[in-house]
Amino acid sequence: MDYKGVWILAEQSRGRVQRISHELLTRARQLAHNRGTDVAAMIFGHNIRQSDLQELIDRGADRVVAVEAPQLEKFLPEPYAACMLKIIADYKPEIIIAGATSTGRTLMPYVAVRANAGLTADCTVLDIEQETGNLLQTRPAIGGNILATIKTPSHRPQMATVRPRSTKPAAKQHGRTGEIVRLKAPAHCLESRIKHVGFIPNESEHSLQESDIVVSAGRGIGKAENLPLVQRLADELRAALGASRDVVDRGWLSYPHQVGLSGKTVSPKLYFACGISGAIQHLAGMQTSETIVAVNTDADAQIFSVADFGIVGDIFEILPVLCERLKQAGSRQ
Amino acid sequence: MHIVVPIKQVPETNAVKMDEKTGTMIREGVEAIVNPLDLYAIETAVRLREQYEGDVVAISMGPPKAEAALREAVAMGCDSAVLLSDKAFAGSDTWATSYVLAAAIRKLNNYDLVICGERATDGDTGQVGPGIASSLDLPVATYVGKIEKFSNGYCRVHRLIEQGHEILDVKLPAVLTVVKEIANPRLPTLRGKQKARKIDIPVWGVDSLKVETGRLGLNGSPTRVVKIFRPKLARQCQKHVADDDQAVVQAVDKLVAFLQQKQLI
Ligand SMILES: Cc1cc2nc3c(=O)[nH]c(=O)nc-3n(C[C@H](O)[C@H](O)[C@H](O)COP(=O)(O)OP(=O)(O)OC[C@H]3O[C@@H](n4cnc5c(N)ncnc54)[C@H](O)[C@@H]3O)c2cc1C
Ligand SMILES: Nc1ncnc2c1ncn2[C@@H]1O[C@H](COP(=O)(O)O)[C@@H](O)[C@H]1O
């Protein structure tokens, strides 16, 4: 098999390269290093900024292939799949990794079926098996209760998605050089039985995944009426408000707040868990946070096993005192 | 409107117990249920049938006992069901699963929509819906939160993405995968249950489908599970017990100092 190179699917929105692309470069560089090969990025869009393409090189790509056409401005499964299949035919990538975004999760399986390739979703760890050079893909399974390592022994390319925010973006290295190829998409790649007819943006711009600090409420808050207690802490820390699934299932907060396996993955500088037990499915969405603080009445709660700082105590007693102290500390500055 | 709904039978994951030593699932006593996210697909299909007439066929690939999931789908209002069951299908990954489901849908022949759940709670990949679409060479809209209308052979849907809702016109026939927002699944009615008990559910195996045997089951699956293990948790937590007013103040002081030292405040 003459398949080689680690490729990422870079994503763009309105011609600007998205952060997930830089996160994927972190993974790709490490894999390419272990495999002794190069990193390439494919990106589909229209009028993608040249400086953003160069930035992919600065952050670790050796080659960038941008396929462009007005019809590729927004994601559509058929033309995007046709473009990716063209890249597979022309360049024969050994590995393709994409973000587990609404785009990646749709495009990758569509392509994998056509390309007769193996695909593993939501990998948390990617590595190379030294003896064979196969990609080792580790992902949570059965509700996060176990981790499974999966490989694709005899089909190429090997394809995988990884969750957004599960790694840091690759750092810029000045003076890195690489090749940027801009291609006009061939007409036969642009046919689509789906048309974009409109867009309704989310109401709140404030995004859980982009916040440096996330304060999350668990069932320990007891009832919806107690949410302001946690909200106040979030306000003091200028944090986004997260929640466990229990809180969302009870309708105390809406689904976009949910952190965990079936919610969002966050990786903030500080994750503050209030009255959360630390079920494995919750941990799956936050354990890569830089610093974790937990307040829980149960000294044996599992959340403490991933926390850096824990208070065994009642949130109704701790949080008001803490908010007061943070306010004082804030006004002193 | 002719609709096919692929559904999967899964273990009730909330109740899953793990064997700590072997890292495998203890299957005894774990109930098998319809993948909870497939209930939304069934509900969507049944509502469309109620509105536009036609029929809804539920299909499932799995062991013989997956028949129970199909009966539940009929109890919720599906008109008929087909079970895809054969030893040759065992060990399928999402590639091989999509392949068999696509072959079955092709055999059903007359369909306008295939409606899948967002993902199955056991495998949790969400790959089978787009995989079926690709295998059948149909357009696919994933994460559909609303079906607005049908006109001129198109279906207008709202697709939930990170930044909001995309509004798309999708040419029929097409595959949709639906999210929770789309509808509240109904409970089976008494009449539905009676029908479900009596209905004859055909079983299709390799011989009933146009499939290449080399593409089925474990042999036809590009991916292989090579290792299964328990996640490890490891951080050194400094724990402070705050069981009276004074201890609360002390613990909070320490926390504030900790956050300052980490330059988080
Ligand atoms: C397939 C699957 C996917 C899932 N996905 C997710 C997911 O994405 N996200 C998620 O969060 N969960 C998910 N879950 C659910 C998960 O297993 C747990 O049920 C859930 O995380 C528990 O939420 P909790 O910690 O808020 O509630 P509980 O487990 O009930 O914990 C409440 C905690 O609050 C503490 N407490 C009570 N009162 C106080 C007080 N006054 N002060 C301080 N502490 C107090 C208690 O000691 C306890 O530890 C999933 C489950 C499955 C099976
Ligand atoms: N074995 C199966 N039989 C029928 N439908 C399935 C099967 N596996 C998956 N599906 C469908 O595909 C969706 C996504 O499943 P998955 O890709 O396994 O997460 C499910 O919600 C079902 O609608």
Side-chain angles (χ1 to χ4, degrees):
Chain A
M1 280 184 284
D2 52 350
Y3 285 84
K4 63 172 194 290
V6 179
W7 284 68
I8 66 156
L9 171 70
E11 289 188 38
Q12 57 81 31
S13 170
R14 296 180 191 171
R16 301 303 310 269
V17 172
Q18 300 296 293
R19 173 191 157 115
I20 179 70
S21 320
H22 303 150
E23 296 173 13
L24 291 170
L25 285 171
T26 302
R27 305 261 189 184
R29 278 262 45 112
Q30 188 228 330
L31 291 174
H33 174 79
N34 293 348
R35 185 77 180 111
T37 185
D38 287 349
V39 171
M42 64 181 99
I43 184 163
F44 313 130
H46 181 52
N47 291 336
I48 306 167
R49 259 200 214 189
Q50 181 70 17
S51 56
D52 281 13
L53 295 180
Q54 177 58 42
E55 191 176 341
L56 290 171
I57 303 267
D58 296 343
R59 292 183 190 264
D62 300 300
R63 174 192 271 163
V64 174
V65 180
V67 185
E68 293 178 292
Q71 295 91 324
L72 297 175
E73 192 176 334
K74 296 201 194 86
F75 170 64
L76 286 170
E78 294 159 273
Y80 271 54
C83 291
M84 190 183 269
L85 286 163
K86 181 176 158 50
I87 299 249
I88 293 174
D90 293 351
Y91 293 93
K92 298 206 176 344
E94 188 174 32
I95 294 171
I96 304 176
I97 54 177
T101 57
S102 58
T103 295
R105 280 171 155 278
T106 308
L107 179 60
M108 294 286 272
Y110 206 82
V111 168
V113 162
R114 294 294 162 83
N116 212 349
L119 168 61
T120 306
D122 280 342
C123 299
T124 48
V125 179
L126 292 174
D127 203 354
I128 300 290
E129 187 174 49
Q130 283 311 332
E131 312 84 73
T132 59
N134 282 329
L135 180 65
L136 293 175
Q137 309 158 108
T138 300
R139 70 182 302 265
I142 318 187
N145 286 294
I146 58 165
L147 291 171
T149 302
I150 292 165
K151 67 181 180 188
T152 308
S154 52
H155 294 66
R156 294 291 179 270
Q158 306 162 91
M159 299 173 70
T161 62
V162 298
R163 293 196 120 193
R165 303 276 159 174
S166 61
T167 36
K168 301 265 174 283
K172 277 196 210 176
Q173 292 165 264
H174 285 285
R176 262 192 69 91
T177 54
E179 182 193 13
I180 298 177
V181 184
R182 277 179 184 266
L183 298 173
K184 239 183 88 192
H188 70 88
C189 288
L190 295 174
E191 281 153 31
S192 177
R193 287 166 287 184
I194 302 183
K195 285 195 293 261
H196 280 275
V197 290
F199 184 69
I200 308 166
N202 290 336
E203 273 162 34
S204 73
E205 275 300 292
H206 130 113
S207 145
L208 198 58
Q209 289 177 301
E210 264 135 56
S211 268
D212 280 341
I213 303 184
V214 174
V215 173
S216 282
R219 202 173 64 165
I221 66 166
K223 52 182 181 200
E225 288 69 29
N226 292 328
L227 259 180
L229 183 72
V230 182
Q231 179 70 60
R232 188 171 156 218
L233 176 60
D235 292 344
E236 289 297 343
L237 290 167
R238 280 186 286 274
L241 190 61
S244 70
R245 190 169 91 172
D246 245 74
V247 166
V248 171
D249 281 354
R250 280 158 208 271
W252 299 346
L253 274 170
S254 61
Y255 178 65
H257 291 279
Q258 185 176 319
V259 173
L261 191 70
S262 47
K264 295 202 169 83
T265 303
V266 298
S267 199
K269 292 203 172 85
L270 172 63
Y271 188 86
F272 201 122
C274 306
I276 293 179
S277 61
I280 197 89
Q281 297 89 359
H282 188 79
L283 303 185
M286 46 64 78
Q287 59 185 335
T288 56
S289 306
E290 256 166 58
T291 299
I292 297 172
V293 173
V295 181
N296 196 306
T297 41
D298 175 5
D300 298 323
Q302 179 158 255
I303 190 77
F304 291 126
S305 62
V306 297
D308 302 284
F309 192 103
I311 298 182
V312 181
D314 188 333
I315 49 171
F316 299 99
E317 291 168 15
I318 310 286
L319 264 46
V321 180
L322 177 59
C323 287
E324 230 13 77
R325 285 281 279 109
L326 289 172
K327 204 170 180 172
Q328 289 164 10
S331 60
R332 265 208 313 273
Q333 281 171 1
Chain B
M1 178 115 22
H2 303 286
I3 306 173
V4 182
V5 186
I7 63 168
K8 187 174 187 191
Q9 192 181 48
V10 299
E12 154 73 296
T13 25
N14 277 320
V16 164
K17 297 264 179 320
M18 301 300 297
D19 183 328
E20 293 289 337
K21 284 199 199 85
T22 59
T24 52
M25 213 174 96
I26 301 170
R27 284 179 191 269
E28 288 92 75
V30 179
E31 211 189 328
I33 55 169
V34 177
N35 171 31
L37 295 171
D38 292 348
L39 300 178
Y40 300 89
I42 297 171
E43 178 65 30
T44 307
V46 171
R47 282 194 195 181
L48 289 174
R49 197 262 335 269
E50 286 166 351
Q51 207 177 342
Y52 300 99
E53 298 187 335
D55 58 75
V56 179
V57 186
I59 62 173
S60 186
M61 183 183 101
K65 71 168 178 138
E67 196 199 86
L70 292 168
R71 291 203 188 273
E72 198 172 327
V74 172
M76 280 177 71
C78 294
D79 299 279
S80 61
V82 179
L83 176 65
L84 311 170
S85 194
D86 196 308
K87 285 208 174 67
F89 302 157
S92 296
D93 73 356
T94 57
W95 198 104
T97 304
S98 309
Y99 179 70
V100 169
L101 290 169
I105 295 166
R106 210 176 276 124
K107 178 171 162 137
L108 290 168
N109 189 24
N110 186 14
Y111 56 89
D112 304 294
L113 278 177
V114 177
I115 306 182
C116 291
E118 183 193 334
R119 55 198 149 79
T121 53
D122 59 347
D124 207 20
T125 75
Q127 288 173 182
V128 170
I132 293 172
S134 185
S135 206
L136 291 171
D137 190 22
L138 293 180
V140 61
T142 48
Y143 309 107
V144 170
K146 184 173 171 187
I147 298 178
E148 202 180 297
K149 62 168 185 187
F150 291 87
S151 62
N152 302 323
Y154 279 84
C155 156
R156 177 162 294 177
V157 302
H158 291 213
R159 174 172 183 257
L160 200 68
I161 63 168
E162 290 77 3
Q163 303 83 9
H165 289 85
E166 288 179 338
I167 306 174
L168 304 173
D169 275 352
V170 184
K171 189 161 191 263
L172 301 179
V175 177
L176 308 180
T177 77
V178 297
V179 294
K180 282 186 185 174
E181 279 85 336
I182 197 148
N184 265 326
R186 67 190 69 190
L187 292 170
T189 57
L190 199 60
R191 257 187 62 208
K193 281 185 187 164
Q194 276 165 351
K195 181 178 176 195
R197 223 173 296 133
K198 281 189 226 131
I199 199 165
D200 182 38
I201 297 182
V203 181
W204 292 353
V206 176
D207 298 337
S208 322
L209 297 171
K210 283 205 187 93
V211 286
E212 292 170 40
T213 47
R215 295 181 167 250
L216 303 174
L218 192 62
N219 283 335
S221 296
T223 60
R224 289 276 178 285
V225 176
V226 290
K227 193 170 106 188
I228 284 182
F229 56 105
R230 293 281 291 169
K232 272 204 296 290
L233 315 166
R235 278 197 204 211
Q236 290 306 320
C237 180
Q238 49 163 309
K239 245 192 255 178
H240 301 272
V241 178
D243 48 5
D244 61 35
D245 287 355
Q246 203 192 342
V248 167
V249 173
Q250 279 173 0
V252 167
D253 282 344
K254 291 212 177 81
L255 174 55
V256 171
F258 173 83
L259 295 176
Q260 278 166 340
Q261 178 226 326
K262 293 252 173 193
Q263 298 188 317
L264 289 163
I265 52 172

